[in-house]
Amino acid sequence: MAATPRKNKTARRMLAAGAGLVTVGALVAAMPSAGAAGDEFVSQSTNGKGWGRMVDVQLLSFNDLHGTLEPPSGSSGQVTRLKEDGTTEKVDAGGVEYLATHLRDAREGNRYSITAGAGDLIGASPMLSGLFHDEPTIGALNALDLDVTSVGNHEFDEGARELARMQNGGCHPTAGCYVDGKPFGGADFPYLAANVTDEKTGKPLLDPTFIWEKDGVRIGFIGVTLEGTPNVVTAEGVKGLKFGDEVETINKYTKILERKGVKSIVALIHEGGMPASGAVNYTCDGDGDGDGEGVSGAIVDIAKNVSPQVDAMVTGHTHQAYVCSIPDPNGKPRLVTSASSFGKVYTDTTLTYDRATKDIVRTAVDSANHVVTRDVPKAGDLTQLIEDWRALAAPIANRPQGFIAADINGRGSTAYEKPLGDVIADAQLEGLAPADKGGAQLALMNPGGIRADLVYKQSGSEGDGVVTYGESFTVQPFTNMMNVVDLTGANLITALKQQVSGSNLNSIKILQISKGLTYTLDMTKTGADRVVDGTIKLNGEPIDPSKTYRVAMNEFLAGGGDGFGALATGTNKLVGASDLDLFNAYLAANTSAANPLPVPAADRITVVK
């Protein structure tokens, strides 16, 4: 197996970003650096000399792992694969034990191999990682020999200080060290965030670039997250940070790398698109017109405007799988890839490097997505890592919380109104309806906050239909505090229309709603008109724009997250229990072994297609 260049951990550092940067108002701890602030992280191999003018460099990549160490369950753990006869099949996929085996097998025979990520490798994680502030996932990524990754929006879930700890190591400031005598060592790979700066100093929060080098072959990487990160992360998580334009940032650092003599450049971008097909092995021409070919979405405009000197783009965020060709500003095709989510897919790309020009021969680029199937041997070191953390989590993870009669789909549902979304919204309403708890009349839940399905089949030895704490945590991993606010009927109507307009016009986000709230969503119309006027009712009564309603929602939505600015107008706020606590309380109060929770009808939103 070809050795991947390893990094000098003493060269890792995160820049101090100012007293107002993190939630506790403290400076991000900086590590010593061999270079000046903002210099790239450099990897140098001493494994002998290469030969020949043309060198095939293997680039293995994945994105949006979200701390999913164990194989994801239910529909969240499946991908659709296109067969040679044109039909499709569902394949069980994912799990870092299998991902490790696939990556290690793929590296065999490849003298030059790099492994890269495109963000959201941690954050919104299942309990096995989330309970321990994602230390287990960083350990797994180290074992996977990850060379470099960009940050994603979820790397900021716990703020800049915690992201610094992920990079540099050290025990958690309140939870301490989870393993006696073994402090957390941090990441062996650099996180890149070229477009994330301290809003006071303008300095990059993390290294903007990374140069991989072996036998004189040099590949530069630039890492960015989506400019709209503040819209999809709690305000505290990004306090004091500025997120710059992706294209401007990549083009800026492309010139910097070129001045350093690096002509082969790959952009790691935590932003993505929507392919015309859901098959993981679908390839597209990237015309971006949404006519059944190619890919559409934010990544198309980014790709068309990023400097032609960038040879390939590894993307993420949308949890889609695609290998596409999108023309650069000169009209020449350029590779853009994404590898689904949760470790279910990886991309294997061959970059042909010309030693004479020190550049990638663009016409020779070859790439394909591969399913992380579970029909290969598990990687023993990753199995041991999982078992070690599972033993620490077991006393909490295995506690029963409630009972379900069948699979209740959330993340795995493609419907606008998700059965599990109804359950979560009802749980929030029930917990916050009492006068002393906030007096909520309705509840709203953001669809992106539902991270998994509730699966009927047992995950351990708890028995079929039993929902454990670990399973409920996986569904609601953010532990967002709940808010109950006064919202005018006019702003409630506006919020519902913001699901399909404004920043959500081209990527709609349908809020999950509690019982009693109903309306019609007409998808034959466009923009805000899709939420049909006069159909929005609470317990059968039309919402009165002039009245005030008590509305429950998590703190993310209450801050206007996901483009719901109207929800940030709420007043008379009461802070309640966490979303996870309310979810578990609802399961305990409303289910039993004899009376498990049925699958909701999901009929609150009438959809016209």
Side-chain angles (χ1 to χ4, degrees):
M1 184 180 298
T4 302
R6 307 304 299 158
K7 279 66 66 182
N8 179 358
K9 293 180 68 173
T10 61
R12 294 193 321 248
R13 85 275 179 253
M14 172 177 276
L15 301 177
L21 182 65
V22 293
T23 55
V24 295
L27 289 176
V28 172
M31 287 198 67
S33 171
D39 283 353
E40 76 283 347
F41 187 118
V42 180
S43 172
Q44 175 89 32
S45 173
T46 57
N47 294 337
K49 300 295 181 181
W51 51 84
R53 173 173 171 174
M54 297 298 181
V55 176
D56 282 346
V57 178
Q58 179 187 58
L59 175 62
L60 301 174
S61 56
F62 57 94
N63 51 275
D64 295 275
L65 179 65
H66 290 290
T68 309
L69 303 181
E70 298 172 292
S73 59
S75 56
S76 295
Q78 292 183 325
V79 297
T80 300
R81 183 164 56 189
L82 185 66
K83 297 195 294 185
E84 290 184 3
D85 62 3
T87 61
T88 60
E89 62 179 344
K90 292 284 189 180
V91 182
D92 290 336
V96 294
E97 298 158 286
Y98 302 109
L99 177 59
T101 298
H102 280 278
L103 292 178
R104 291 166 184 175
D105 287 348
R107 293 182 188 125
E108 289 287 353
N110 288 280
R111 180 176 176 80
Y112 303 90
S113 184
I114 313 168
T115 304
D120 277 8
L121 302 187
I122 59 173
S125 304
M127 182 179 168
L128 185 63
S129 186
L131 186 64
F132 304 106
H133 298 276
D134 279 319
E135 289 184 21
T137 296
I138 296 297
L141 294 171
N142 289 342
L144 291 174
D145 286 338
L146 184 67
D147 285 286
V148 61
T149 185
S150 67
V151 295
N153 52 287
H154 281 287
E155 265 79 18
F156 293 93
D157 283 348
E158 295 190 53
R161 173 187 282 274
E162 180 64 3
L163 179 55
R165 194 178 73 88
M166 292 293 98
Q167 178 72 89
N168 300 323
C171 296
H172 191 271
T174 57
C177 294
Y178 295 113
V179 181
D180 290 340
K182 189 178 180 182
F184 172 58
D188 288 348
F189 52 89
Y191 268 109
L192 304 183
N195 66 331
V196 186
T197 56
D198 177 351
E199 62 183 6
K200 291 184 178 179
T201 68
K203 292 182 178 181
L205 179 71
L206 290 157
D207 293 311
T209 62
F210 162 82
I211 298 173
W212 183 94
E213 182 171 346
K214 181 175 181 177
D215 301 343
V217 175
R218 305 178 82 205
I219 310 288
F221 290 85
I222 303 168
V224 299
T225 186
L226 68 154
E227 183 181 9
T229 290
N231 298 325
V232 292
V233 176
T234 57
E236 286 298 317
V238 294
K239 187 176 181 180
L241 300 178
K242 182 179 179 180
F243 292 78
D245 180 83
E246 302 96 336
V247 172
E248 291 178 4
T249 303
I250 294 170
N251 290 347
K252 170 186 174 180
Y253 283 102
T254 295
K255 293 178 180 178
I256 291 174
L257 284 172
E258 287 183 303
R259 288 199 295 267
K260 295 176 182 292
V262 178
K263 297 183 179 180
S264 298
I265 300 172
V266 175
L268 306 175
I269 309 172
H270 191 71
E271 179 60 287
M274 301 297 294
S277 168
V280 297
N281 52 341
Y282 170 73
T283 57
C284 47
D285 61 11
D287 55 17
D289 58 12
D291 63 357
E293 296 180 348
V295 63
S296 59
I299 198 60
V300 177
D301 286 339
I302 291 173
K304 288 182 176 180
N305 288 284
V306 161
S307 168
Q309 298 307 116
V310 173
D311 297 296
M313 298 181 180
V314 177
T315 72
H317 189 55
T318 59
H319 289 203
Q320 301 299 306
Y322 47 83
V323 173
C324 296
S325 175
I326 300 177
D328 68 15
N330 290 340
K332 295 183 178 180
R334 175 166 53 194
L335 181 69
V336 180
T337 71
S338 180
S340 186
S341 62
F342 306 148
K344 296 182 291 188
V345 174
Y346 73 93
T347 310
D348 191 338
T349 300
T350 300
L351 303 172
T352 301
Y353 180 92
D354 186 336
R355 288 185 179 278
T357 64
K358 300 182 180 179
D359 206 352
I360 298 299
V361 181
R362 189 91 71 80
T363 57
V365 172
D366 181 47
S367 184
N369 277 333
H370 300 276
V371 178
V372 178
T373 59
R374 302 176 192 169
D375 58 358
V376 298
K378 296 180 180 180
D381 55 333
L382 273 300
T383 298
Q384 188 61 55
L385 180 145
I386 288 173
E387 290 178 352
D388 289 346
W389 287 105
R390 188 183 285 153
L392 291 176
I396 299 173
N398 296 336
R399 291 202 306 252
Q401 302 298 310
F403 303 84
I404 56 174
D407 288 358
I408 303 180
N409 287 341
R411 193 74 184 186
S413 171
T414 58
Y416 294 129
E417 180 183 352
K418 305 176 190 306
L420 189 50
D422 285 1
V423 176
I424 292 171
D426 286 351
Q428 294 175 354
L429 176 60
E430 181 172 299
L432 299 172
D436 62 340
K437 302 295 184 183
Q441 296 168 273
L442 65 134
L444 304 173
M445 173 64 192
N446 56 306
I450 306 171
R451 306 306 300 184
D453 304 329
L454 281 184
V455 179
Y456 180 79
K457 184 179 179 180
Q458 66 180 13
S459 58
S461 59
E462 75 277 9
D464 291 345
V466 178
V467 179
T468 65
Y469 184 89
E471 291 166 340
S472 63
F473 185 102
T474 297
V475 169
Q476 294 263 264
F478 297 106
T479 317
N480 276 316
M481 301 309 293
M482 292 298 301
N483 292 178
V484 184
V485 300
D486 285 345
L487 202 68
T488 66
N491 282 329
L492 176 58
I493 293 170
T494 298
L496 293 177
K497 288 181 175 291
Q498 287 174 338
Q499 300 174 112
V500 289
S501 63
S503 62
N504 294 327
L505 177 64
N506 297 317
S507 181
I508 65 175
K509 295 181 177 68
I510 302 302
L511 295 167
Q512 306 301 288
I513 56 179
S514 57
K515 60 184 179 182
L517 184 62
T518 57
Y519 68 92
T520 297
L521 184 66
D522 189 345
M523 297 306 294
T524 67
K525 298 181 179 180
T526 58
D529 290 340
R530 286 174 164 175
V531 176
V532 181
D533 290 329
T535 66
I536 306 172
K537 299 179 181 181
L538 182 61
N539 300 321
E541 295 292 327
I543 292 293
D544 186 339
S546 65
K547 283 188 175 181
T548 297
Y549 298 85
R550 291 292 282 169
V551 182
M553 66 190 87
N554 61 42
E555 57 189 328
F556 171 68
L557 282 178
D562 269 353
F564 292 102
L567 296 182
T569 65
T571 59
N572 194 22
K573 179 174 69 174
L574 183 146
V575 178
S578 73
D579 50 9
L580 178 59
D581 286 344
L582 292 181
F583 185 47
N584 285 330
Y586 181 83
L587 292 173
N590 293 280
T591 72
S592 66
N595 293 288
L597 185 70
V599 179
D603 56 1
R604 299 165 188 178
I605 303 174
T606 300
V607 180
V608 178
K609 297 182 179 180

